[in-house]
Amino acid sequence: MQKSMIRKVLVANRGEIAIRVMRSCREMNIRSVAVFSEADRASYHVRYADEAYCIGPAPSVQSYLNKEKIIQVALETGCDAVHPGYGFLSENADFARMVKEAGLIFIGPSPEAIEQMGDKITARKRMIAAGVPVVPGTTEAITNDEEALRIIRQIELPVMIKASAGGGGKGMRLVHHENEIESSLRAARSEAKAAFGDDAVYIEKYISSPHHIEFQILGDHHGNIVHLFERECSVQRRHQKVVEETPSPNLTPEVREAMGKHAVAAAAAVNYFGAGTIEFIMDDQHNYYFLEMNTRLQVEHPITERVVGVDLVKLQIQIAEGKPLPFRQEDLRQNGHAIECRIYAEDPANNFMPSPGKIKHITEPLGLGVRHDGYVYPGYEIPMYYDPMISKLIVWGTNREEAIARMRRALYAYKISGVSTSIPFLEKVMQHPVFIKGNYNTHFIDTYLKELLEVSECDGLCEDVAVITAFIHYLDELGRVQNGAHDGKVAIRESRWKQMGKSLNLRRN
Ligand code: ADP
């Protein structure tokens, strides 16, 4: 592959990940071009970019999924590369191919690798051929109920019926009893057809007490592939990750090494280059199986960045430029512990209903070991058209205990008003004895949901106090000015903040 310098990148995405990519571009002296929908005019990614162009109405199909329009903007603005972020077109082989055919660099893997890994049935076959363990199940699409019944009797209930084109937990059904097979097959098929335009489904053994463990992969155009260790993503709701951490509290060094080798073999099987993730499901006996490969940057990539000490976006760009990986497997180490919490504009108490609306006030958590990747600001109206994730809170500590304490401190300091958020729920997760012990699995949220949703006496009060104290602060400031503080004479009296604290004798649990 010829080396080519990237000077200007179009970021085909929105929100926090668009800004995340642009930050690395800025550090590398690369200009960034944002695209946005009519609903996103005020989005911070539009302000952050060097240039920004509207590509259509709010619905994604007319804007962020409009391949031709995006490529047209890239060409007209003199970009030499396109970064797809995650979601939207990031795992769309046609888009990667069209970008290439337009003479631009796609900052990601080859269209062939996306195709082979994007179809889960094809990926399972590839992995079996490469000697990577896959979840016991079918290697062909299931076409009728009798066939399904025969296979399910072979591999034994419970099983998962999964969409071959699946993603985001869609088109997936857990089957416990034979009499559910017919309805589950029908439901999985129609959900898959609606979400992906492809109703092919397959059957997998349901792994009980499962852990979701994934390995970060990087490959270059010179045949080098390394893994950057694992992420434990078992705190999930409806098969979607909520909290991620690295290192996993559930791996031994031996299992980690074996999984890492299988992850590299999985990527090598499709001649992978770029950043990618090999997802495994692991039971509590440390038996692990390939689930799928995500051929893009993951939402949770920052925890790997922090513990391994790399900038994954910068490496993606350097790989796309044709540069070799700057390290070998034996150079990489895990240093300390990192945790990420996904912050959603949603109401956990109301069945996690999305809570779009206007952000009135936001206090971002700061301090040692805290990273906040977000895109909202006071006055910003969260559109209802897109994923309700508003930011990612990432902390690092020298060990897991310190990282948990730091996450609690950061969540405590994180204040958003105007919309409901998952912050109080995440605080409960960080305080839960099972999470603290570390031996949780993907059933954690469902099992302890009631406790995690409990509102402690102080919760509502503390929110109210935040508003009241802000108002008192305002009154204090007003008083200081009226008392002549602008002349250098500050009125000396006990702060109303202190008075308030004394009178309420507040204590958060
Ligand atoms: P998607 O691509 O839709 O995200 P995945 O195959 O990655 O689907 O699975 C998402 C989650 O569903 C996993 O992290 C795990 O919690 C659960 N899951 C998937 N397959 C199985 C299985 N065979 N046994 C147990 N849990 C599973």
Side-chain angles (χ1 to χ4, degrees):
M1 191 223 171
Q2 256 195 332
K3 273 196 194 168
S4 44
M5 184 85 170
I6 294 177
R7 292 188 184 81
K8 194 169 181 182
V9 172
L10 180 140
V11 183
N13 217 299
R14 66 180 296 280
E16 74 83 19
I17 192 60
I19 298 166
R20 160 71 193 91
V21 172
M22 290 172 195
R23 284 194 172 122
S24 287
C25 288
R26 198 165 284 273
E27 285 180 25
M28 295 172 80
N29 225 358
I30 293 172
R31 288 180 67 76
S32 55
V33 174
V35 287
F36 61 96
S37 74
E38 283 163 14
D40 264 345
R41 280 183 195 284
S43 176
Y44 189 59
H45 81 277
V46 175
R47 298 185 186 185
Y48 191 90
D50 293 304
E51 294 168 43
Y53 300 89
C54 183
I55 48 166
S60 310
V61 272
Q62 294 175 60
S63 48
Y64 297 108
L65 293 174
N66 187 340
K67 306 183 194 99
E68 292 79 12
K69 182 80 192 169
I70 291 170
I71 293 172
Q72 184 196 335
V73 173
L75 291 172
E76 284 176 8
T77 53
C79 287
D80 24 46
V82 175
H83 193 301
Y86 55 68
F88 295 125
L89 295 168
S90 61
E91 292 181 286
N92 187 309
D94 281 346
F95 181 62
R97 203 166 276 128
M98 284 165 68
V99 168
K100 230 171 133 184
E101 281 164 8
L104 300 162
I105 297 171
F106 180 73
I107 303 177
S110 66
E112 295 75 29
I114 299 177
E115 239 150 32
Q116 289 174 40
M117 287 302 197
D119 182 78
K120 293 190 184 184
I121 294 176
T122 312
R124 278 168 67 79
K125 285 189 198 155
R126 278 260 163 198
M127 293 305 105
I128 294 167
V132 178
V134 302
V135 185
T138 56
T139 43
E140 300 297 337
I142 297 298
T143 48
N144 63 59
D145 295 355
E146 290 79 53
E147 193 190 353
L149 186 62
R150 190 178 49 77
I151 289 159
I152 291 173
R153 283 188 175 148
Q154 262 171 27
I155 56 178
E156 291 180 9
L157 288 161
V159 298
M160 290 285 253
I161 298 176
K162 295 170 86 170
S164 188
K170 294 198 187 88
M172 206 186 289
R173 285 289 180 285
L174 173 58
V175 182
H176 282 289
H177 304 288
E178 281 194 4
N179 62 6
E180 296 164 4
I181 296 174
E182 197 190 327
S183 59
S184 301
L185 263 178
R186 212 178 322 116
R189 273 214 192 93
S190 71
E191 200 172 300
K193 182 83 185 166
F196 316 110
D198 174 359
D199 69 354
V201 295
Y202 65 103
I203 297 173
E204 246 180 33
K205 173 106 195 109
Y206 180 74
I207 306 298
S208 54
S209 313
H211 291 270
H212 176 118
I213 312 253
E214 58 184 35
F215 273 70
Q216 177 68 53
I217 288 293
L218 279 176
D220 63 19
H221 286 274
H222 308 273
N224 305 304
I225 302 180
V226 296
H227 72 80
L228 289 84
F229 306 99
E230 80 281 8
R231 295 182 285 256
E232 165 91 53
C233 311
S234 302
V235 180
Q236 298 186 353
R237 204 181 75 82
R238 297 203 174 143
H239 306 306
Q240 293 298 293
K241 300 157 192 168
V242 176
V243 174
E244 304 93 352
E245 62 176 315
T246 186
S248 161
N250 292 296
L251 288 191
T252 61
E254 296 73 33
V255 177
R256 176 175 293 116
E257 197 184 327
M259 286 179 99
K261 283 190 177 142
H262 274 133
V264 169
V270 290
N271 300 319
Y272 200 81
F273 55 80
T277 295
I278 307 292
E279 296 189 339
F280 294 102
I281 193 110
M282 184 181 86
D283 67 18
D284 45 15
Q285 306 298 307
H286 286 148
N287 297 306
Y288 60 86
Y289 310 93
F290 171 85
L291 256 192
E292 66 163 339
M293 180 173 195
N294 288 322
T295 52
R296 54 168 166 85
L297 198 64
Q298 300 275 93
V299 174
E300 59 275 19
H301 75 275
I303 55 173
T304 298
E305 294 191 318
R306 190 60 187 83
V307 161
V308 183
V310 293
D311 175 339
L312 284 170
V313 173
K314 184 173 177 182
L315 286 160
Q316 282 188 301
I317 294 172
Q318 289 172 340
I319 290 166
E321 288 180 325
K323 294 184 180 132
L325 287 177
F327 36 65
R328 294 160 304 167
Q329 188 66 59
E330 53 271 33
D331 301 326
L332 300 172
R333 298 269 177 284
Q334 289 170 298
N335 171 27
H337 199 96
I339 305 176
E340 174 183 274
C341 283
R342 301 187 185 195
I343 314 290
Y344 284 92
E346 65 184 13
D347 184 1
N350 191 8
N351 199 23
F352 297 86
M353 278 277 279
S355 171
K358 197 178 226 166
I359 304 274
K360 284 195 192 133
H361 163 264
I362 177 163
T363 306
E364 292 186 54
L366 299 168
L368 180 65
V370 178
R371 166 174 171 181
H372 183 232
D373 278 22
Y375 78 104
V376 302
Y377 54 85
Y380 177 72
E381 179 121 23
I382 301 171
M384 51 182 274
Y385 300 96
Y386 315 109
D387 187 90
M389 190 180 80
I390 46 180
S391 74
K392 303 180 317 204
L393 183 56
I394 305 108
V395 299
W396 178 88
T398 47
N399 54 38
R400 188 167 186 267
E401 200 185 347
E402 187 176 72
I404 293 175
R406 196 159 277 162
M407 182 58 91
R408 284 197 204 149
R409 182 262 286 173
L411 288 167
Y412 170 82
Y414 197 172
K415 300 277 176 247
I416 298 184
S417 64
V419 296
S420 298
T421 74
S422 51
I423 295 172
F425 179 79
L426 294 162
E427 287 188 283
K428 288 275 169 11
V429 172
M430 289 300 131
Q431 287 157 9
H432 199 281
V434 172
F435 179 80
I436 292 168
K437 214 164 164 214
N439 60 349
Y440 60 89
N441 59 39
T442 60
H443 302 309
F444 171 72
I445 289 187
D446 282 345
T447 310
Y448 302 105
L449 188 62
K450 209 165 154 257
E451 292 165 51
L452 297 170
L453 288 175
E454 255 165 35
V455 179
S456 64
E457 256 175 50
C458 182
D459 282 351
L461 185 59
C462 288
E463 289 307 310
D464 292 345
V465 167
V467 177
I468 295 165
T469 46
F471 185 61
I472 290 176
H473 180 68
Y474 167 75
L475 291 180
D476 271 348
E477 285 301 308
L478 205 68
R480 272 157 54 86
V481 172
Q482 282 167 357
N483 286 329
H486 56 289
D487 297 333
K489 286 179 258 154
V490 181
I492 308 226
R493 59 179 154 82
E494 191 175 40
S495 144
R496 290 189 210 195
W497 288 72
K498 274 193 190 160
Q499 288 171 2
M500 170 105 173
K502 278 181 190 165
S503 61
L504 284 173
N505 191 19
L506 275 179
R507 207 166 49 82
R508 275 180 78 103
N509 64 342

